[in-house]
Amino acid sequence: MPTYRAPVDEVMFLLRDVFHVERYNNLPGFAEASPDIVEAVLAEAAKFCEDVLTPLNRVGDKEGCRRNADGSVTTPPGFKDAYKKLVAGGWVGASAPAEFGGQGLPTVLTQAIREFLYSSNMAFAMYSSLALGAVAAIYNHGSAEQKARYLPKLISGEWAGTMNLTEPQCGTDLGQLRCRAAPQADDSYKITGTKIFISAGEHDLTDNIIHLVLARIDGAPPGTKGISLFIVPKFLLTADGAPGERNAVSCGSIEEKMGIHGNATCVMNYDGATGWLTGEKHRGLYAMFTMMNTARLSVGVQGLALSEVAYQNAVVYAKERLSGRAPGGAKFPQKAADPIIVHPDVRRMLMTMRAFNEAARALVLWTALKGDIARRSTDAKEREAADDHMGLMTPVIKGVLTDQGFANTVAAQQIFGGHGYIAEHGMEQFVRDARIAMIYEGTNGIQALDLVGRKLPKDGGRALQAFFAEVSGYIKEADAAMAPYVKPLGHALGELREATQWFAQNAPGNPDNAGAGATDYMQLFGLVALGYMWCRIVDAAKARTASAGMDEKLVAARFFMERMLPATATHLARIKAGAESTMALPADAF
Ligand SMILES: Cc1cc2nc3c(=O)[nH]c(=O)nc-3n(C[C@H](O)[C@H](O)[C@H](O)COP(=O)(O)OP(=O)(O)OC[C@H]3O[C@@H](n4cnc5c(N)ncnc54)[C@H](O)[C@@H]3O)c2cc1C
């Protein structure tokens, strides 16, 4: 049975020592979140995740969700009780605006808690994540009446939410979407169509489910320009806002799938269901993107979360499993063999996971803090800069953290040898669960194209230039003792600049050059961002050398610089090779 300890001390170190969160006390919600309170909240969340959710992770995987003859869906044993506790603890909308019943806590704090939730039970945690996506969409695009009717219950967790984009013929290319919305005399619409792969589409955890559905109003233009966003509750609300009559939306079936069995992935049938437009007509994709950006960051956190829990279990096993002797001679001669943690190849895998997890967590929290600034600062320039950062870093966090997070679950499984492949230790579940994060919320290939095609050129490259300026400014000012860290970072930054320049010169004439190099560019970008995070961590660790564990951070940082960051050269070489050999064969040669 896998175990999990939420990394509360790590989060506290990042918030306090690396990002000095107390400096943001002028932002609404931050002054209330004093270090003592933050530590207490994290400790409480850790306890819930460790004691309640971790034991349910295997149950959810084994039992899965069941669709009953009447179309209702039963979640795995224990999920309902755990969900009640999640709601009672106020965990669902902890960062949501106080005017709608949230606690207004900084997202830099609640994003850390999301990591704990996903590590302990990703399938369970997804139910509440989707509600938060719905909150973001309605809060930013809904009418005052819609906000009043739906937000308080979504924020408290009493009701859940979903996002309905995908249809059988289209996932990435939503321009092909067919779901229809017929206008009615009373300002409502009748929604008709089939959505597939809908996470948390139907379940027994809440009294109502608020579906956010993309559909095309009759007569709307074809393509993405004719798509609108609708609120379609499972139960229509009575005049006083309570769930009333059942709407014409139902779960046709639950998809059989590779992992996250505790989360119901549903085919949803809309048979003239009543819905209400939210946001502007034909601007549904724009409105949905508000939800998608929140969701993409959250999915990036899933990659980190599964990497962390898989790492923790691999460490335990590597210290217990006896096999062979250390290359330089027995380290534990009194034992029948040395534990496998003595072997450099096993260390390589453990160090790779550790060096990724700590920097990835820093990148997530740094970006969450920017999100808080973008939403809460009174200074327009500061808000703009923070928003630029969010836009630029969202595809990087989604793509890089889920790719490497999945690779790390495989490495952790590898440390268990054959025992990782069989189910007993739970390692293969982490691999299966982690895999989806590379696919949904826009595949990682699409994240890379978003970065290269949209985020780099946006506003004349303002966000990218700000990132370059921040990292190069940091390198310039670093003292000589930081040379082992900032020198490799400077080199990698130079390669990232070179790759950017190469695209500027070679993509306009041949867009395939951008498409063929986009994934390498995203990975190269991610390595530079993680390298920068390591430098910031080292700075903070050096200032606290007397504290336990700080020297270990310097070693992990060195490992990252020496053994992981050099991959930037390979990515650059691939980018500069261009698209020619990738695209040379005609389709029928495959
Ligand atoms: C378990 C699970 C849960 C999900 N939850 C939800 C949900 O809650 N709500 C929802 O709406 N959807 C959900 N999805 C759907 C998911 O978001 C889509 O599967 C995903 O976006 C990819 O779409 P697709 O499957 O149609 O693949 P396609 O779009 O057909 O893509 C196939 C491949 O082609 C590539 N590709 C496609 N177009 C391009 C292009 N223009 N340029 C370059 N490469 C391209 C893709 O990267 C991919 O590798 C879920 C899916 C799963 C499996």
Side-chain angles (χ1 to χ4, degrees):
M1 174 93 161
T3 56
Y4 174 63
R5 283 284 157 265
V8 172
D9 292 347
E10 281 297 315
V11 171
M12 283 309 294
F13 167 72
L14 290 168
L15 296 181
R16 226 173 358 207
D17 296 74
V18 178
F19 298 121
H20 306 285
V21 168
E22 75 283 356
R23 288 182 192 161
Y24 299 88
N25 269 356
N26 59 328
L27 297 180
F30 274 63
E32 293 78 15
S34 65
D36 289 354
I37 290 187
V38 167
E39 197 157 10
V41 171
L42 288 172
E44 199 54 41
K47 197 163 145 16
F48 174 64
C49 292
E50 292 163 2
D51 298 348
V52 179
L53 297 188
T54 297
L56 286 179
N57 198 33
R58 289 295 295 283
V59 179
D61 186 53
K62 274 194 134 144
E63 305 286 333
C65 296
R66 195 181 68 241
R67 182 182 175 279
N68 307 303
D70 63 357
S72 63
V73 168
T74 306
T75 51
F79 271 41
K80 240 178 135 165
D81 272 355
Y83 193 83
K84 272 192 199 135
K85 290 184 179 135
L86 184 85
V87 172
W91 299 116
V92 176
S95 276
E99 58 178 313
F100 295 110
Q103 298 167 51
L105 287 174
T107 35
V108 70
L109 169 61
T110 50
Q111 201 62 275
I113 295 172
R114 277 274 125 204
E115 183 199 324
F116 302 171
L117 291 165
Y118 287 139
S119 282
S120 51
N121 197 328
M122 174 169 151
F124 175 89
M126 283 172 66
Y127 288 101
S128 54
S129 300
L130 283 147
L132 293 178
V135 168
I138 297 174
Y139 183 73
N140 288 297
H141 304 285
S143 65
E145 193 209 337
Q146 288 171 343
K147 288 181 197 178
R149 269 171 102 69
Y150 299 106
L151 288 181
K153 298 279 188 192
L154 282 166
I155 286 170
S156 70
E158 285 165 86
W159 296 350
T162 66
M163 50 197 291
N164 291 241
L165 294 80
T166 308
E167 296 182 8
Q169 75 288 355
C170 68
T172 304
D173 183 5
L174 292 168
Q176 297 185 59
L177 188 137
R178 290 187 195 140
C179 193
R180 283 177 32 228
Q184 306 297 301
D186 64 354
D187 270 0
S188 69
Y189 289 79
K190 290 285 177 211
I191 311 289
T192 304
T194 299
K195 297 285 179 180
I196 61 166
F197 303 167
I198 304 308
S199 297
E202 176 61 47
H203 54 78
D204 55 1
L205 300 179
T206 55
D207 296 341
N208 207 353
I209 303 175
I210 310 305
H211 302 289
L212 283 153
V213 183
L214 285 183
R216 203 181 291 283
I217 298 173
D218 290 348
T224 50
K225 295 212 160 55
I227 298 173
S228 305
L229 182 62
F230 297 88
I231 297 175
V232 186
K234 172 178 165 183
F235 290 102
L236 297 168
L237 305 193
T238 59
D240 59 2
E245 190 191 329
R246 179 73 203 241
N247 204 352
V249 48
S250 59
C251 165
S253 63
I254 299 182
E255 311 281 5
E256 294 279 333
K257 60 187 190 289
M258 178 176 176
I260 52 164
H261 289 146
N263 196 273
T265 310
C266 301
V267 172
M268 298 302 294
N269 296 322
Y270 292 85
D271 300 309
T274 304
W276 288 270
L277 180 72
T278 189
E280 289 174 48
K281 260 186 201 171
H282 311 325
R283 296 262 292 155
L285 216 51
Y286 166 75
M288 193 57 117
F289 263 102
T290 315
M291 200 164 163
M292 298 271 289
N293 280 337
T294 315
R296 283 178 174 176
L297 283 175
S298 191
V299 171
V301 176
Q302 292 174 355
L304 160 65
L306 289 189
S307 175
E308 172 66 31
V309 67
Y311 164 76
Q312 289 187 14
N313 284 277
V315 167
V316 173
Y317 193 76
K319 288 181 179 171
E320 282 171 358
R321 178 72 174 174
L322 305 181
S323 179
R325 290 293 182 193
K331 288 261 166 72
F332 296 84
Q334 75 284 13
K335 293 191 175 176
D338 281 342
I340 59 173
I341 198 163
V342 303
H343 299 303
D345 189 58
V346 172
R347 286 296 189 97
R348 169 186 64 78
M349 294 186 273
L350 289 175
M351 285 304 294
T352 301
M353 289 184 255
R354 181 168 177 162
F356 167 79
N357 291 349
E358 293 189 29
R361 182 171 300 113
L363 186 59
V364 163
L365 296 186
W366 185 40
T367 303
L369 182 57
K370 297 280 187 186
D372 283 321
I373 296 168
R375 278 185 294 272
R376 301 176 193 221
S377 172
T378 50
D379 178 333
K381 270 270 160 233
E382 200 177 54
R383 277 203 312 272
E384 179 184 90
D387 200 51
D388 281 355
H389 173 98
M390 292 282 290
L392 185 68
M393 221 46 98
T394 296
V396 175
I397 287 181
K398 195 304 186 166
V400 175
L401 268 54
T402 61
D403 275 355
Q404 189 61 41
F406 173 72
N408 287 351
T409 60
V410 173
Q413 181 188 37
Q414 190 75 9
I415 287 174
F416 279 72
H419 298 272
Y421 192 75
I422 57 135
E424 185 190 349
H425 291 279
M427 301 307 285
E428 53 84 49
Q429 185 191 343
F430 295 139
V431 174
R432 288 186 286 105
D433 286 356
R435 185 65 181 88
I436 186 57
M438 300 155 78
I439 298 172
Y440 59 18
E441 294 303 342
T443 62
N444 286 358
I446 296 304
Q447 303 303 317
L449 291 175
D450 177 45
L451 177 66
V452 169
R454 246 182 266 153
K455 301 299 170 55
L456 295 192
K458 193 166 179 270
D459 304 312
R462 193 175 66 203
L464 182 73
Q465 292 312 324
F467 176 73
F468 284 169
E470 168 152 1
V471 180
S472 57
Y474 171 87
I475 291 170
K476 249 185 233 136
E477 281 176 21
D479 64 36
M482 284 295 289
Y485 312 98
V486 293
K487 239 179 123 197
L489 177 64
H491 186 74
L493 180 66
E495 288 171 321
L496 182 60
R497 283 184 191 276
E498 198 177 331
T500 310
Q501 190 68 22
W502 192 89
F503 278 142
Q505 286 164 352
N506 296 279
N510 180 4
D512 280 350
N513 280 331
T519 288
D520 280 294
Y521 187 86
M522 179 178 75
Q523 297 295 344
L524 169 48
F525 199 114
L527 284 165
V528 171
L530 293 173
Y532 177 49
M533 289 299 99
W534 264 122
C535 287
R536 301 275 305 263
I537 292 170
V538 167
D539 267 338
K542 282 180 172 227
R544 272 187 49 175
T545 38
S547 312
M550 292 301 121
D551 290 346
E552 294 170 14
K553 296 205 178 299
L554 307 194
V555 174
R558 230 165 2 93
F559 180 90
F560 183 88
M561 298 300 169
E562 292 170 5
R563 311 265 318 193
M564 294 170 76
L565 194 59
T568 51
T570 306
H571 293 304
L572 177 62
R574 287 194 193 130
I575 291 164
K576 287 169 72 178
E580 205 283 323
S581 62
T582 307
M583 299 305 290
L585 293 180
D588 58 12
F590 286 87

